[in-house]
């Protein structure tokens, strides 16, 4: 499974809207780590920024 697919699944969670920025970063980090994908802080920040744009 690719990182973008994992992130899409995380974003579709019922709890996603109620999470703060740090919680969202942690959720993405945890999901990617549990699939053995390496992720950097910058990857998470970029992804969270993309997610915020999608929510608007």
């Amino acid at each position: 499974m690719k990182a973008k697919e994992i992130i899409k699944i995380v974003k579709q969670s019922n709890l996603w809207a109620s999470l703060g920025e740090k919680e969202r970063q942690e959720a993405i980090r945890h999901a990617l780590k549990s699939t053995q994908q390496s992720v950097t802080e910058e990857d998470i920040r970029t992804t969270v920024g993309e997610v915020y744009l999608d929510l608007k």
Side-chain angles (χ1 to χ4, degrees):
M1 189 175 281
K2 295 182 180 179
K4 287 197 180 254
E5 295 170 321
I6 294 166
I7 292 164
K8 183 177 179 181
I9 292 168
V10 172
K11 286 175 24 179
Q12 292 173 346
S13 165
N14 291 336
L15 297 175
W16 184 255
S18 66
L19 297 177
E21 182 177 352
K22 285 204 175 264
E23 293 167 320
R24 288 179 179 190
Q25 288 178 359
E26 286 299 318
I28 291 169
R29 181 179 292 142
H30 178 72
L32 292 173
K33 279 185 179 180
S34 60
T35 60
Q36 303 302 315
Q37 302 230 359
S38 74
V39 62
T40 65
E41 185 77 22
E42 187 60 32
D43 292 334
I44 293 171
R45 287 176 194 240
T46 300
T47 302
V48 170
E50 290 172 1
V51 168
Y52 282 135
L53 290 176
D54 288 345
L55 292 175
K56 290 184 178 183

